[in-house]
Each structure stands twice: as C-alpha cells, then as structure tokens.
Amino acid sequence: MLKPLDRYPEAQLAAGRSALPVTLIGGFLGAGKTTLLNSLLTQGDGRRLAVLVNDFGELNIDARLIVKIEGQQVELANGCICCSIRDDLVAGVESLLASDPAPEQLLIETSGVSDPINILCTLNQSKLRRRIFLENVVTVVDAVHALDARASEYAGLFERQVRGAFMIVINRAGAAGAERLRELREAIGELLPGAAIIETEDGTAPLALLLGDTRVGQSAFRPEPVPDPRSHPFASMVWRSDRPLQRAEFMRTMKALSDRVYRAKGFVNFRHYPLATLYQKVGSFESCIDGGAWGRTRPHSELVLIGLNSAFDRQRIGLALDACTDSVARPASGLVDGQ
C-alpha cells in the first residue's frame, strides 16, 4: 500500500518505491566532464551525492574534504562519496546502493568514447532497473574543438552523444569566439531540437540546474535566484496551486515555455487522476511518473522552475501555469503561443 505524501521521501515517490535518481555526464575526450563533476561536488547543497568515475584520481578533490580513502572509494566530509567504476558499471551502482547511509543522487561520468544510449541500455537491462530512475543526461561539448570532431572519424560518436542528451553544457564558450559558437549551437539544434544549452567558460554549472532542486515540497521555500558561487545568470521560482491541472493544457504550456524554462521539477495534481504525479522537464525531455497516493495531504501542485535570468519573467510564467487550472481562463499574454 502506498504511503501518504507527507511521510514519503521524494526519491521513493518518484516511482512508488525506493529509487535512486541517476544523472549521466558524458562528452568527448577533454570536453570538461571531470571539471563539471568537481564543480558539482564542491557546491554541496547538503545532499549525499555518489559519483562513479573511470578514475577518481583525476578528480581534483580538496584534501580538506577527504575523510578517508578505502580501496576504490573516497569518502568526503560533505557526505559525498566517489568510486571508480573499474570494469563493471552495474556492480559499481549496486555497491553504492548498499552504502550506509545510502546516497540521495548518483552521478555517472562516462568515458569520452562512450555512447550514452549504451550506458542506459546496460542499466535498464540489469536487475537495477527497479531501483534507479534516470533524472538527467548531460553531454559536455568543447566549443573550441567540437566542430572539428564532427568533421572527423568521430562524427558519429559526437552526434550520438548530443542526440542522447537531455541537456548540453558548452564548455570554453568564450574561447571559441562568437561565430564558432553560433555554428556549434546550430549544429546542436539540428541534432537535438529544443535542447537546453548552458554555456560556461570553465566547466562549471549550478547544481540545482543539472540535478534538480531538493527543496521541492518544502513549504518554507520562496522564489529566489538559484544559489551558485560563480554567479551563473540563472533564476528560479516556485509555482503552487490547490486547483487541479488540465493535463493536456499543462503539457502544451510547458512545451511553449521551453525557450525560457530549462528545468522544472515537482509534484502536480492532474484533474480526474487519483495519484500525485512527479513531473520533470530537462530541456526538451519531459516525464510524468506516478508518485503515490495523496493520503492525508490535500492534493496540490508545486513546481520549481529554473531558467536564464534574461528571459525569466516570473509573473508571465505564473499566469501561464495558472491558466492550466480548472477555474482560470487562459491569459491573453501570448506566452503560451510562444510570442
């Protein structure tokens, strides 16, 4: 029997069971995957992250964070752990699932010549498939060399890595120059229409943008800029409603918001549907997963939305979502039509 929402952790709600959210981080050799992982580990945010890498010796971990090194595992003072994949990805994930305390999220850095689809197939076809769920697939692209790779014998691999992503991190954007960056964005757009693209100079990105926001469901949360030590130009908001959502209208509205909302995550209450639904949007990828019975909790919707500050109009986004509820007319703002 499903437990009430107010007594059930979000990761368990995601599929009505205890399931670990997994994010794959891929990209070609030298694109900046390890630098991105370092950035996520140092940002912390109080969550227990587990990281699987081919060689954790490449991670530039601050010595002050290291509690102990035992075999192929490093334990950090902020609650995170890093492990070497060695030869068996499935065994590595199983080992982490057995950790005490168990991790809250798992990041897997793939090798530079890996196809993310193959990694997903390996996990999906294993006995782990009921214990984990895919939250994000991030492909890191080196702005300076990516177009050269696409014109080489690695073109097929580059295209598969981009097509398999939910989100693209373009690294060394400034060093590439405006024209080359424009060409790269066009190439990515052809391979992955509607992709969420983040530009960075040094392989860093906000934790909340890549891994979602752990504050979903916390009533004390208030809209505020996404916290990040390197001042990325992202902002966030929370939208809430006690009125049920019209599912088709909500999905259409979220698609229309893709150019300004890079990521959204939270529980929603669809009209005429008895269970809570965990909704997630990462770029053009969207998913709705049954989350469990509402139990003693009054049915409601609560979404965290994150996007570029320059195009993030909280009022217009809120009005567009309000219009998806049963009792509010659709706004005349033109937002839903993409104007």
Side-chain angles (χ1 to χ4, degrees):
M1 186 174 73
L2 295 176
K3 297 181 180 179
L5 277 181
D6 57 357
R7 301 182 63 185
Y8 221 72
E10 181 191 345
Q12 292 177 308
L13 274 168
R17 58 181 180 269
S18 179
L20 180 67
V22 175
T23 292
L24 296 185
I25 297 179
F28 198 61
L29 297 164
K33 300 184 296 296
T34 303
T35 306
L36 177 61
L37 272 176
N38 273 322
S39 166
L40 297 176
L41 283 172
T42 55
Q43 286 179 56
D45 193 26
R47 36 183 136 179
R48 295 189 301 276
L49 300 178
V51 177
L52 274 175
V53 294
N54 290 312
D55 182 4
F56 63 65
E58 295 179 3
L59 287 169
N60 185 23
I61 301 171
D62 189 331
R64 292 170 296 181
L65 279 177
I66 297 176
V67 174
K68 67 178 179 181
I69 300 176
E70 187 173 302
Q72 296 296 307
Q73 186 173 109
V74 176
E75 182 180 337
L76 305 183
N78 61 4
C80 301
I81 52 176
C82 306
C83 300
S84 174
I85 295 175
R86 288 188 170 179
D87 299 323
D88 193 337
L89 173 63
V90 173
V93 176
E94 286 182 322
S95 175
L96 288 171
L97 286 169
S99 300
D100 186 18
E104 296 172 326
Q105 288 180 297
L106 171 61
L107 288 75
I108 300 174
E109 179 188 352
T110 67
S111 75
V113 293
S114 292
D115 182 341
I117 300 301
N118 292 338
I119 304 293
L120 294 176
C121 288
T122 297
L123 294 174
N124 194 46
Q125 293 170 5
S126 74
K127 54 189 174 183
L128 294 170
R129 65 185 181 277
R130 298 189 181 279
R131 302 178 64 192
I132 61 177
F133 70 94
L134 184 65
E135 182 166 66
N136 200 355
V137 180
V138 180
T139 293
V140 185
V141 174
D142 179 2
V144 175
H145 300 111
L147 291 175
D148 296 335
R150 197 185 184 195
S152 71
E153 67 269 28
Y154 299 108
L157 175 61
F158 170 81
E159 293 178 3
R160 289 193 298 275
Q161 288 177 341
V162 170
R163 285 196 175 110
F166 297 170
M167 182 176 288
I168 303 292
V169 174
I170 297 181
N171 193 25
R172 302 178 66 197
E179 180 60 25
R180 195 168 183 85
L181 190 59
R182 181 191 62 78
E183 293 176 3
L184 179 57
R185 277 181 162 271
E186 287 181 357
I188 292 171
E190 292 171 4
L191 297 170
L192 189 66
I197 300 176
I198 304 164
E199 294 182 11
T200 180
E201 299 302 321
D202 52 6
T204 65
L207 187 78
L209 190 61
L210 268 62
L211 304 187
D213 201 308
T214 57
R215 296 168 294 187
V216 173
Q218 295 183 15
S219 59
F221 181 74
R222 294 292 180 269
E224 60 184 19
V226 174
D228 180 68
R230 297 178 186 270
S231 302
H232 281 277
F234 296 100
S236 70
M237 64 176 284
V238 168
W239 176 81
R240 297 184 181 92
S241 178
D242 292 328
R243 295 184 292 265
L245 286 162
Q246 301 175 54
R247 186 178 185 125
E249 185 69 14
F250 172 76
M251 299 302 286
R252 190 171 73 86
T253 296
M254 292 306 298
K255 278 196 182 302
L257 289 170
S258 288
D259 62 338
R260 61 202 75 191
V261 176
Y262 279 15
R263 188 175 183 98
K265 184 178 180 182
F267 291 102
V268 293
N269 172 32
F270 287 128
R271 184 168 58 126
H272 302 319
Y273 195 69
L275 304 178
T277 300
L278 176 62
Y279 171 82
Q280 180 176 209
K281 173 181 173 60
V282 186
S284 58
F285 172 82
E286 295 176 286
S287 67
C288 290
I289 304 173
D290 286 348
W294 290 104
R296 293 187 297 273
T297 301
R298 181 180 178 181
H300 65 283
S301 298
E302 182 175 24
L303 278 177
V304 175
L305 304 102
I306 305 174
L308 273 176
N309 219 345
S310 58
F312 203 79
D313 187 325
R314 291 181 175 88
Q315 183 176 10
R316 295 185 71 195
I317 292 171
L319 286 173
L321 291 171
D322 287 343
C324 302
T325 62
D326 274 347
S327 58
V328 180
R330 187 167 177 240
S333 65
L335 175 64
V336 177
D337 295 323
Q339 296 177 7

